[in-house]
Amino acid sequence: MHEYSLAQSLLNSLLDYLRAHPVPGRVKKVHVKKGELLILSEWALKEAWRILAEGTELSGSELVLESVPVRARCDSCGYEGNVRYLAEEGWHMSVPVLSCPRCGSPVRIMEGRDLAIVGLTVEEPTIKSPSD
Ligand SMILES: [Zn+2]
């Protein structure tokens, strides 16, 4: 299950980051960019996160996934940007075409095949009033 190892490496890097840059409250949401070329089950990734985060300071946090389109670069003509997509009726997804939309040469993928943490939603620390 590669979702499990992806969740583990995201978790490890975030825990490292939080050790160096502590946040003032509990992390509620972890916002993650998911490249379109990375095929995974979002459900399995979130479930793996939930299990792996248990017992760490990220316990109870939720992954929020945002899909980002493929960006490519062509060495032949210098094109840089989005790629074209193949989509046919009945398909559940469109498939990125990895050749240059301008000249047809193979392109290099700049973005679109990994996961990256882009932000955190942190709960404000609760201020206890003396009358509680
Ligand atoms: Zn090109």
Side-chain angles (χ1 to χ4, degrees), residues 74 76-79 100 102-105 107:
C74 174
S76 305
C77 74
Y79 173 86
C100 178
R102 200 189 281 166
C103 73
S105 304
V107 287

Side-chain angles (χ1 to χ4, degrees), residues 11 47 57 65 72 89 96 114 126:
L11 186 73
E47 190 61 11
E57 60 202 281
L65 295 174
E89 218 174 307
D114 36 40
T126 335

Side-chain angles (χ1 to χ4, degrees), residues 53-66:
E54 228 162 77
T56 74
E57 60 202 281
L58 291 165
S59 175
S61 64
E62 185 198 341
L63 278 190
V64 181
L65 295 174
E66 179 202 337

Side-chain angles (χ1 to χ4, degrees), residues 6-76:
L6 286 169
Q8 183 73 73
S9 67
L10 274 184
L11 186 73
N12 288 345
S13 56
L14 186 54
L15 287 172
D16 278 350
Y17 176 84
L18 289 174
R19 267 190 284 275
H21 310 87
V23 291
R26 200 173 68 84
V27 175
K28 273 163 59 184
K29 288 180 181 170
V30 179
H31 301 267
V32 173
K33 271 195 324 189
K34 184 189 85 65
E36 230 171 21
L37 289 178
L38 183 67
I39 305 301
L40 56 76
S41 152
E42 295 197 1
W43 179 86
L45 185 69
K46 288 177 177 184
E47 190 61 11
W49 179 269
R50 191 182 63 76
I51 293 164
L52 292 166
E54 228 162 77
T56 74
E57 60 202 281
L58 291 165
S59 175
S61 64
E62 185 198 341
L63 278 190
V64 181
L65 295 174
E66 179 202 337
S67 190
V68 294
V70 176
R71 285 184 62 81
R73 191 188 160 84
C74 174
D75 288 334
S76 305

